[in-house]
Amino acid sequence: MDAHPAPTSGVPGSALPGPYPVGRYALRLRERLREFARVQLTGEVTGLRVRARTVYFELRDGDGALPCAMWRDDHDRLGLPPGALVDGAHVVVAGGVDYYPGSRTSSGAFSFRVQTLRVAGDGDLLAQIALLREQLRAEGLLEPQKTLPRPALPRTVGVVTAETGEARHDVLAGLRRRGYTGQVVWAFAPVQDRHAAPRIARALQDLAATGAVDVIVVARGGGSVTDLLAFSDETLCRTVALLRTPVVAAVGHHGDRTLLDDVAAVSCSTPTHAAEAAVPLDAAAERGRALAAARRLEHHGRHAVLGRARILQRLARAPAEHVLRHRVRLHQLLRELRASGRRQLDGAARELRASADRLEGRGTSAAGAQQAARRARLDSLALALAAHDPERVVGRGYAIVRDADGAIVTTAAAARAAGRLQLRFADAAVDTRVEEPPSPSSEEEPTA
């Protein structure tokens, strides 16, 4: 300490040296504290705060507490697993006391400057687990389960968990969410003590040996590293790696990681998610889609049947319409033949009458006889012609159908094509228009 006091007057009656500027004293205090021996301390971490440049925490035990600070770079170089340094963790730290002198705008602070640390207790377990993980990885035991095929909708799901606990209910909730209606086989085993690992391994072997279980879920709630230690057991992990039935692990919560998570076919954060991973197919959603597809199929099938029924109905009418068209055509040809014969007979009758007149003028008896015979013949032919006279047919109630151009219409197709027609009756002609009757397809369809 500087022996020369500041010019400011001190406390009256005090024999202590000074007063000195506080900044100078703070710097001298830091120098003296840094001269203390570097030591290792052990205790429990509390109030952990990780900042951009510094990590702060307190180290406590039953007799006292010490504020600690560690540069962030030194902390990151330790390569601690996630969750290793947390409140409550037991650590061994190496370093020495330090003092921050502060300034006009910041307060001074005393702390134990940590240069390095080791997590004891759970930290040792994490280190052992990490070493065993690398050993299993080197032996190729982390991959066999991941190559096993998993059915989208297993018929039977095996579950290894504690008989009492939330994990069991969470698995059932996950299966219900999937709409799963298959079989669930339970294998209850302890999930936290020194007997848990062999019991869990035995339960897994028993489920896989049945041959009916398609996938196995191992479920447990969260806990500390010690609580979950059974699921990092080497024998259990080797057993799971050699099973031919896929195993879905759901041990602990989001931040927990055991060796079983690395060895299993699938690792899930919660038992509910494990149930959904064991049954990848959402049966409830698939049932809804299947029902919708069945309704669409029924709708299209009904319309297809009705459409083909209409086609068959039209095809069933086709032969009758074909015969009708030919019948009308034959009637037309017959009328034309009769008209042609009548014209020929009329010509022949005129010639015969002329010949008869010439024979009468000659006044011979033989010619008169021949003339009478010919006249009788002509009368007979005239009667035959009159019988085929279209006018007489019209007089009996029939009609002659002509289009706008005067051509005779003989078929229904021609009438529909013409649109407007003229009907010739015995006394006069009438103009008309063709109108189609309602199609049978427009009638109300029968309900299914």
Side-chain angles (χ1 to χ4, degrees), residues 104 115 121 249 423:
R104 185 179 299 275
Q115 295 175 331
L423 304 182

Side-chain angles (χ1 to χ4, degrees), residues 344-417:
Q344 292 178 2
L345 288 175
D346 288 342
R350 286 193 297 271
E351 292 179 1
L352 288 175
R353 289 192 185 95
S355 298
D357 291 341
R358 287 193 299 271
L359 289 176
E360 281 184 358
R362 295 175 183 175
T364 60
S365 59
Q370 291 179 356
Q371 182 181 8
R374 289 177 179 176
R375 187 178 295 278
R377 176 64 178 164
L378 287 173
D379 293 337
S380 176
L381 291 174
L383 291 174
L385 285 172
H388 295 84
D389 186 1
E391 296 297 329
R392 296 188 62 183
V393 176
V394 172
R396 291 199 301 271
Y398 292 89
I400 299 174
V401 183
R402 298 180 185 275
D403 59 14
D405 297 331
I408 294 178
V409 178
T410 61
T411 65
R416 284 192 290 267

Side-chain angles (χ1 to χ4, degrees), residues 256-336:
D256 300 324
R257 187 77 181 180
T258 67
L259 283 183
L260 181 62
D261 293 303
D262 298 319
V263 176
V266 181
S267 174
C268 299
S269 57
T270 64
T272 303
H273 294 158
E276 296 175 354
V279 185
L281 184 68
D282 192 338
E286 292 301 324
R287 289 191 193 99
R289 282 192 284 268
L291 181 59
R295 289 172 178 167
R296 290 195 300 271
L297 181 61
E298 180 184 6
H299 174 76
H300 291 301
R302 182 169 61 251
H303 279 267
V305 169
L306 293 175
R308 281 155 179 77
R310 296 189 194 100
I311 294 174
L312 290 175
Q313 188 178 25
R314 289 196 297 271
L315 294 175
R317 292 198 304 266
E321 294 177 353
H322 186 68
V323 170
L324 179 60
R325 286 195 298 272
H326 281 282
R327 180 178 297 170
V328 172
R329 177 63 179 164
L330 289 175
H331 289 170
Q332 177 63 21
L333 292 175
L334 180 59
R335 288 193 294 269
E336 292 177 357

Side-chain angles (χ1 to χ4, degrees), residues 129 170 184 210 217-218 225 227 239 287 299 355 363 380 386 390 418 425:
I129 292 172
D170 292 343
V184 179
T210 62
V217 175
V218 180
V225 175
D227 295 336
T239 300
R287 289 191 193 99
H299 174 76
S355 298
S380 176
F425 296 95

Side-chain angles (χ1 to χ4, degrees), residues 161-172 186 188-189 191 219-221 271:
T161 187
E163 186 171 3
T164 59
E166 293 299 325
R168 179 182 181 184
H169 302 293
D170 292 343
V171 171
L172 288 176
W186 298 93
F188 298 119
V191 293
R220 185 205 188 280

Side-chain angles (χ1 to χ4, degrees), residues 197-217:
R199 294 280 297 275
I200 295 171
R202 180 60 181 272
L204 287 167
Q205 291 174 327
D206 291 343
L207 288 175
T210 62
V213 176
D214 298 317
V215 62
I216 303 174
V217 175

Side-chain angles (χ1 to χ4, degrees), residues 77-155:
R77 278 194 292 269
L78 295 175
L80 296 174
L85 185 62
V86 294
D87 285 351
H90 291 273
V91 297
V92 177
V93 300
V97 292
D98 198 0
Y99 181 77
Y100 172 66
S103 67
R104 185 179 299 275
T105 59
S106 61
S107 301
F110 168 82
S111 66
F112 186 88
R113 177 63 63 176
V114 178
Q115 295 175 331
T116 185
L117 65 80
R118 179 181 67 85
V119 180
D122 288 352
D124 292 338
L125 292 177
L126 290 173
Q128 295 173 13
I129 292 172
L131 182 62
L132 181 56
R133 179 181 288 109
E134 293 304 318
Q135 180 181 346
L136 295 176
R137 188 190 309 278
E139 296 180 20
L141 296 180
L142 302 186
E143 299 301 325
Q145 273 278 317
K146 297 174 178 59
T147 62
L148 296 177
R150 292 184 294 121
L153 186 63
R155 295 185 177 181

